[in-house]
Amino acid sequence: GSHVSRGSRNFIPLDYTMMTEYATSVVQHVRPTESELVMKDTILRRISDICNNLVPGSRVVPFGSLVSGFATKGADMDVIFSHDTIEPQPSSMDSNIPIRLANEFLKRGFEVDLLIRTRVPILKVKTPSPGLEPGSRPSSPSAEHVLKETIEEDPWPENISCDIGFKNHLGITNSHFLRTYSQCDPRFGEMVLFIKQWSKNRDLNSPYFGTLSSYGYVLMVAHFLINIVQPPVLPNLQLIPPEPDTPLSEVSQDGYNIWYFKDLSRIESGDLLPGGKNEMSLGQLIHEFFQYYTTNFNFVSEVVTIRTPGGVMYKQEKGWTSARERVGEMTTYQDRYLLALEDPFEISHNVGRTCGGAGVRRIRGEMQRAAQMIRKLSTPFLHENAGRHA
Ligand code: ATP
Ligand code: MG
């Protein structure tokens, strides 16, 4: 008997040549340039220097798309304030540090915003235009030189904003985890960049305003490539058991199971994907992604997980059924389960909790629209007809 996956619903064979070309050009367009990456590296070192000035021994450690490789042009930088001597116990830190640091950046001409409605405080700093910094002390002349040069040859991302977090036990870990997955198959990163761009264009990427974070979309893509498409594009790296001599630090952190398989040579050899290599084009994968989430995935009862065999759990079994209030660091916030995306390590955390009812409806509506557009673009019959009647 032939095996029909949850994702495939095509009865007319579609031709994805045009969609693949289109998606490839979008991906090329949104990828950051080499000079942007150099500039961001310079800015990161400056930010670290400012932290170190205020709290000797402190620095910022990048995570998010800078680490995972899923950054788009002009993307924010995500970093964590870290202190060598008291790491990894940021709770014992001076709780005024976010405010004192905010002042420090203000003094140097950065635009500063301290967010406290979030789960943990986030300090947003935006780089000043070079040359306009009052009292700025460049860390080294070469760093300043590179900064100036890269901005002059590639003028558009003048203001790069950097989110500084103060407590993020697993963000660094999950960014490296996603990076490992992205190294398994180039189509993962390509799909992520395309979906991120789509979600931004359609105004579906605003976690503070009721829709989903990029991280949430990345998990949706990963689930699709690990569990749904047949044969899978990605193996499930969390289900391959660790060797007995694996150091504990690779297996557990803050009481969470953080193990995942990291041996890229075995990943590349393909022996982790016994079903054979998936040869689908980027265009087809994107279409099937949208189709899966609009017609097969049940938003009402199901939870996207990427850690479990099969990758789908039920809200009922996770107890993710009704909204509840939680008391955070500086505010209370709501846990909602309208769109349920289980974090790969912090499995009690719903990455989709930022989505309200209206947000979920819009995301689903836009996915439906995208799937229809791709179907039209990829139906050979329609193009032949259009040609004949023209
Ligand atoms: P962008 O380029 O749009 O900023 P990104 O790839 O950096 O995208 P973000 O959504 O900014 O993705 O997430 C960066 C990191 O922040 C993730 O790796 C994750 O650790 C953490 N993160 C973001 N949103 C959530 C969330 N809802 N729950 C838990 N962690 C999150
Ligand atoms: Mg980010």
Side-chain angles (χ1 to χ4, degrees):
S2 67
H3 177 76
V4 178
S5 79
R6 279 163 58 102
S8 65
R9 277 271 174 100
N10 294 327
F11 303 113
I12 320 163
L14 299 175
D15 177 0
Y16 290 106
T17 316
M18 280 203 279
M19 181 56 200
T20 300
E21 273 172 23
Y22 170 64
T24 306
S25 72
V26 169
V27 168
Q28 269 166 3
H29 183 75
V30 300
R31 273 219 165 100
T33 60
E34 194 55 39
S35 67
E36 180 181 337
L37 295 178
V38 171
M39 179 183 66
K40 285 185 161 170
D41 203 54
T42 309
I43 292 171
L44 270 187
R45 273 182 280 136
R46 301 268 339 261
I47 290 176
S48 255
D49 286 347
I50 293 171
C51 291
N52 190 45
N53 248 326
L54 181 77
V55 184
S58 71
R59 68 204 161 102
V60 291
V61 180
F63 70 105
S65 58
L66 268 186
V67 170
S68 64
F70 298 148
T72 51
K73 266 184 193 164
D76 292 2
M77 301 191 285
D78 300 295
V79 301
I80 278 303
F81 178 87
S82 122
H83 193 293
D84 287 337
T85 53
I86 46 182
E87 219 181 30
Q89 281 300 12
S91 54
S92 63
M93 225 166 48
D94 178 352
S95 62
N96 284 326
I97 281 182
I99 292 164
R100 287 172 53 207
L101 205 51
N103 278 323
E104 208 59 33
F105 280 100
L106 266 181
K107 270 197 272 175
R108 287 158 205 262
F110 283 75
E111 273 177 48
V112 173
D113 198 1
L114 188 57
L115 304 182
I116 53 168
R117 275 178 52 211
T118 43
R119 270 209 306 168
V120 287
I122 294 174
L123 176 60
K124 279 182 171 291
V125 300
K126 216 181 235 180
T127 53
S129 308
L132 296 180
E133 290 171 71
S136 66
R137 294 276 175 276
S139 55
S140 72
S142 70
E144 197 69 352
H145 179 73
V146 172
L147 179 62
K148 198 160 175 288
E149 206 167 58
T150 50
I151 283 175
E152 273 165 12
E153 79 190 23
D154 189 11
W156 68 267
E158 276 185 7
N159 288 43
I160 297 287
S161 124
C162 180
D163 289 3
I164 305 175
F166 294 88
K167 200 193 271 173
N168 167 303
H169 27 294
L170 294 167
I172 298 168
T173 305
N174 70 37
S175 305
H176 286 277
F177 171 67
L178 294 174
R179 181 196 182 89
T180 304
Y181 263 126
S182 78
Q183 289 165 336
C184 295
D185 193 295
R187 290 170 293 178
F188 182 29
E190 290 162 0
M191 273 187 83
V192 164
L193 289 183
F194 184 88
I195 299 294
K196 268 172 82 165
Q197 189 60 21
W198 162 82
S199 70
K200 285 173 189 184
N201 283 347
R202 307 308 297 168
D203 190 24
L204 306 169
N205 189 305
S206 307
Y208 300 113
F209 301 104
T211 55
L212 191 59
S213 62
S214 295
Y215 181 56
Y217 286 106
V218 173
L219 296 182
M220 290 178 88
V221 174
H223 163 64
F224 172 76
L225 295 178
I226 296 167
N227 303 115
I228 302 306
V229 76
Q230 293 299 327
V233 171
L234 301 174
N236 189 325
L237 299 179
Q238 290 175 283
L239 288 180
I240 303 164
E243 298 292 331
D245 58 352
T246 305
L248 192 64
S249 62
E250 265 189 60
V251 175
S252 137
Q253 183 185 340
D254 298 334
Y256 294 108
N257 178 0
I258 58 155
W259 164 253
Y260 61 96
F261 189 78
K262 303 173 185 69
D263 182 356
L264 280 172
S265 66
R266 264 195 71 197
I267 293 169
E268 277 152 15
S269 74
D271 68 344
L272 300 176
L273 287 168
K277 187 165 165 51
N278 178 307
E279 302 283 2
M280 284 181 195
S281 64
L282 181 59
Q284 178 171 6
L285 288 171
I286 292 170
H287 189 213
E288 300 235 350
F289 170 86
F290 284 130
Q291 287 195 117
Y292 167 68
Y293 282 105
T294 47
T295 62
N296 304 85
F297 180 73
N298 188 334
F299 280 76
V300 178
S301 62
E302 294 182 338
V303 179
V304 168
T305 83
I306 64 175
R307 116 200 112 93
T308 63
V312 175
M313 284 185 76
Y314 294 93
K315 290 182 185 177
Q316 204 74 39
E317 62 183 312
K318 284 193 69 83
W320 281 9
T321 44
S322 57
R324 72 192 66 156
E325 294 256 295
R326 284 225 199 161
V327 181
E329 198 94 322
M330 296 186 173
T331 180
T332 61
Y333 61 93
Q334 234 194 2
D335 267 344
R336 288 180 292 200
Y337 303 104
L338 299 174
L339 174 52
L341 305 176
E342 183 196 71
D343 188 273
F345 302 125
E346 193 182 350
I347 62 174
S348 59
H349 174 57
N350 177 20
V351 175
R353 75 168 184 87
T354 56
C355 292
V360 176
R361 276 192 298 279
R362 277 208 307 115
I363 291 171
R364 297 187 61 185
E366 288 289 348
M367 286 183 158
Q368 222 146 16
R369 178 175 178 271
Q372 277 163 9
M373 285 175 68
I374 300 170
R375 174 174 293 279
K376 270 191 197 150
L377 183 70
S378 312
T379 304
F381 178 71
L382 288 181
H383 295 302
E384 279 164 27
N385 261 1
R388 258 181 236 130
H389 293 289

